[in-house]
């Protein structure tokens, strides 16, 4: 969903709020401290199905280090059923599309997640919305850019679109770099959906992924 002028107005308003300190986000040391104090982590992949699959090594790394009760995933609504049975996840949240957040705020108000690891998502709408839902520590996928660079705890890892190393590196490594920035060492680089292996494949539960 979009209307002429909505993106720049939304972006400008939140940039101004951040510049005036009406919107406050955490630095990397503050985010690390919050993680050590037990705050939950939300992994965000609200674009294509493949993008969400590429976050599974990050999900597993976080789950093994923090415990599955502290790791959740935010995906597009059509993919929720794929991830809901995943034992590595506390919860699976969803959005329907750009500026189509449904009841996400109410769900995050009742189950706060203060840290968000932004793999792939629709900008410019979702980052400010997640702040309104209580997220304070933002980390962005390495070597990418964002409309809200000063909101990111790992701003030094980002690259502008014209930089020679912009969008370089493997997606799995770039996703895991967000965990490493928080002091969480990767435990796997393998894509996996372990709950699917526990059931014999049928036409109803078979998932085909075309790389």
């Amino acid at each position: 969903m979009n209307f002429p002028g909505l993106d720049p107005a939304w972006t400008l308003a939140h940039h101004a709020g951040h510049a005036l300190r009406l919107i406050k986000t955490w630095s990397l040391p503050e985010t690390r401290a919050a993680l050590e104090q037990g705050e939950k982590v939300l992994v965000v992949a609200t674009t294509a199905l493949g993008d969400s699959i590429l976050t599974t090594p990050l999900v597993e790394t976080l789950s093994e280090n923090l415990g599955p009760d502290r790791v959740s995933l935010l995906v597009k609504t059509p993919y929720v059923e794929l991830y809901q049975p995943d034992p590595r996840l506390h919860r699976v949240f969803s959005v329907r599309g750009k500026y189509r957040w449904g009841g996400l705020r109410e769900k995050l108000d009742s189950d706060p997640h203060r840290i968000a690891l932004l793999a792939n998502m629709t900008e410019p709408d979702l980052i400010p919305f997640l702040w309104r839902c209580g997220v304070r520590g933002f980390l962005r996928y390495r070597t990418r850019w964002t409309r809200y660079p000063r909101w990111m705890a790992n701003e030094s890892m980002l690259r502008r679109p014209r930089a020679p190393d912009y969008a370089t590196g493997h997606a799995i490594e770039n996703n895991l770099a967000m965990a490493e920035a928080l002091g969480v060492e990767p435990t796997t680089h393998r894509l996996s959906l372990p709950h699917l292996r526990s059931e014999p494949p049928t036409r109803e539960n078979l998932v085909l992924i075309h790389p």
Side-chain angles (χ1 to χ4, degrees):
M1 181 179 71
N2 206 351
F3 298 99
L6 179 57
D7 280 355
W10 179 261
T11 303
L12 181 61
H14 288 94
H15 271 306
H18 196 267
L20 294 170
R21 303 293 292 170
L22 300 174
I23 294 174
K24 298 179 182 179
T25 53
W26 290 340
S27 65
L28 189 56
E30 289 173 321
T31 307
R32 284 176 172 170
L35 188 71
E36 291 173 2
Q37 291 165 10
E39 294 290 356
K40 292 197 276 291
V41 178
L42 181 66
V43 176
V44 179
T46 57
T47 48
L49 174 60
D51 292 333
S52 66
I53 296 289
L54 286 165
T55 67
T56 57
L58 173 61
V59 165
E60 186 163 331
T61 288
L62 294 170
S63 184
E64 290 187 0
N65 281 276
L66 308 179
D69 58 326
R70 292 178 58 195
V71 183
S72 295
L73 183 64
L74 175 60
V75 294
K76 288 283 282 292
T77 300
Y79 313 139
V80 169
E81 290 185 10
L82 177 62
Y83 293 102
Q84 276 180 332
D86 196 321
R88 300 170 298 187
L89 291 168
H90 166 60
R91 289 187 69 174
V92 181
F93 300 96
S94 68
V95 292
R96 290 186 297 144
K98 192 174 182 181
Y99 295 104
R100 299 170 69 191
W101 308 306
L104 181 59
R105 182 166 185 175
E106 291 76 12
K107 293 175 183 176
L108 287 174
D109 282 346
S110 63
D111 189 3
H113 290 62
R114 302 300 184 202
I115 301 169
L117 305 187
L118 309 171
N120 289 282
M121 86 228 90
T122 56
E123 290 190 44
D125 64 314
L126 193 54
I127 294 173
F129 181 74
L130 288 175
W131 181 86
R132 291 171 178 268
C133 294
V135 174
R136 293 297 179 266
F138 293 92
L139 279 81
R140 182 72 168 103
Y141 176 104
R142 184 177 65 182
T143 76
R144 292 282 186 179
W145 193 241
T146 170
R147 293 196 185 200
Y148 305 95
R150 295 187 178 180
W151 293 41
M152 300 299 123
N154 65 333
E155 182 181 357
S156 63
M157 296 169 62
L158 307 184
R159 295 293 180 267
R160 293 182 179 274
R162 293 186 180 181
D165 56 347
Y166 173 74
T168 56
H170 197 285
I172 291 175
E173 297 286 356
N174 290 337
N175 284 330
L176 287 169
M178 294 187 285
E180 292 179 282
L182 292 174
V184 178
E185 290 300 316
T187 59
T188 184
H189 291 72
R190 186 181 65 177
L191 303 176
S192 63
L193 293 168
H195 53 292
L196 296 182
R197 296 201 299 268
S198 64
E199 303 174 11
T202 67
R203 291 188 64 181
E204 287 71 31
N205 65 18
L206 186 65
V207 176
L208 173 64
I209 299 174
H210 190 310

